[in-house]
Amino acid sequence: KLINVAMVLMLLLLLYAVLGLHLFAEIRFVGEHDETANFKSFFRAVVTLSRAMTGEGWNQLMHHIGTEPWVFRSVYDLPCVEDFNVPGDYDALLAGGFLKREGLLSHETGPLQCGDPIMAGIFFVSFTCLVSFVVLNLFIAVIFEGFTDSQQNQDMELIAKCVEVWKQYDVNCTLRLPLADALRYIDDCAQQIHAQMDVGNGDAPPAMDVRWRSKTVAGEVELGQIPIKYALML
């Protein structure tokens, strides 16, 4: 189950990385959208989404990738192009420094497109809800389910051991035992279960508690002599 959940997580991560390349590869760097967190390459897109998956600054990255044209011009005083689907204006874009700007830092070269707040919001909110809130919680749920199954298996083993010992005392399957046999049955079960649990650690099983046996007369037991741990079980 863990492998299946991990494969679903990786598939969603790769799909969103490809979608991010298609939507945000040409957007200009600003704020948290920089050389370390961007969609300029497939590898960097996967790294960026892996960071967003942990919840670190994904909302700030969403707002900076979705920076609108008027914010670029009025707040940051930087030029950007709203739409790059203009092949006929390539020379004008190149001359205006929107495609490549010589002599500037590396993160200021390349396409300089404005952001789209609507697409950025849909992309990051859906990614956070689907991956961070659903898939990761499902991953944790599968881990807890594994612990629960192991605990249930251990309980079934204990029950099976008790049934096995019971058959030695109740040969005719009457589902009833005299009090003295019932106490011996409890002791034998405790000894065999402890021996089974401690065999891996090399510890010796605890000695049987036989204090009450010296008080038995003709199969009867004095109730005042029964250890409290047995009395609580009766």
Side-chain angles (χ1 to χ4, degrees):
K1 294 181 180 180
L2 286 176
I3 296 177
N4 294 336
V5 175
M7 291 179 63
V8 172
L9 180 62
M10 290 300 301
L11 178 61
L12 290 175
L13 194 63
L14 296 180
L15 289 177
Y16 269 89
V18 174
L19 182 60
L21 283 172
H22 177 71
L23 295 176
F24 311 126
E26 299 172 343
I27 295 178
R28 181 167 191 165
F29 289 164
V30 64
E32 293 294 326
H33 181 221
D34 52 20
E35 289 182 307
T36 60
N38 59 74
F39 293 89
K40 297 292 184 181
S41 66
F42 180 77
F43 172 76
R44 186 53 58 183
V46 172
V47 173
T48 302
L49 290 176
S50 299
R51 163 187 155 179
M53 186 172 59
T54 64
E56 180 185 354
W58 69 269
N59 55 332
Q60 297 176 348
L61 183 61
M62 174 187 67
H63 292 305
H64 288 145
I65 288 180
T67 302
E68 298 181 82
W70 70 269
V71 178
F72 270 113
R73 298 188 182 100
S74 61
V75 177
Y76 298 107
D77 193 21
L78 296 173
C80 66
V81 176
E82 297 185 23
D83 190 359
F84 268 92
N85 296 322
V86 284
D89 296 337
Y90 177 80
D91 294 334
L93 294 174
L94 183 62
F98 294 102
L99 300 181
K100 186 175 182 180
R101 307 187 69 186
E102 300 292 345
L104 297 179
L105 298 176
S106 60
H107 68 275
E108 293 181 316
T109 63
L112 302 177
Q113 185 177 359
C114 305
D116 187 346
I118 296 178
M119 292 305 300
I122 294 175
F123 179 87
F124 279 97
V125 170
S126 63
F127 177 79
T128 301
C129 293
L130 187 61
V131 175
S132 300
F133 294 160
V134 177
V135 178
L136 288 183
N137 287 334
L138 180 61
F139 195 86
I140 296 174
V142 170
I143 295 177
F144 278 111
E145 183 181 3
F147 282 114
T148 302
D149 292 341
S150 64
Q151 182 64 37
Q152 291 178 350
N153 292 336
Q154 184 178 7
D155 293 342
M156 293 303 297
E157 292 177 0
L158 295 178
I159 294 174
K161 175 60 68 175
C162 292
V163 172
E164 178 184 348
V165 178
W166 178 273
K167 292 179 180 179
Q168 299 174 7
Y169 286 84
D170 188 13
V171 180
N172 297 324
C173 297
T174 61
L175 301 181
R176 296 173 63 90
L177 286 179
L179 180 58
D181 291 341
L183 294 175
R184 293 190 183 93
Y185 163 76
I186 295 172
D187 239 351
D188 287 347
C189 284
Q191 185 187 33
Q192 294 191 32
I193 290 173
H194 280 293
Q196 183 177 350
M197 295 175 61
D198 295 336
V199 66
N201 300 327
D203 299 333
M208 295 178 63
D209 189 349
V210 296
R211 290 177 297 169
W212 58 272
R213 294 186 177 179
S214 60
K215 303 298 182 180
T216 60
V217 179
E220 298 181 355
V221 180
E222 297 180 16
L223 295 180
Q225 301 298 326
I226 299 177
I228 188 63
K229 66 177 181 179
Y230 297 124
L232 293 175
M233 298 179 183
L234 297 177

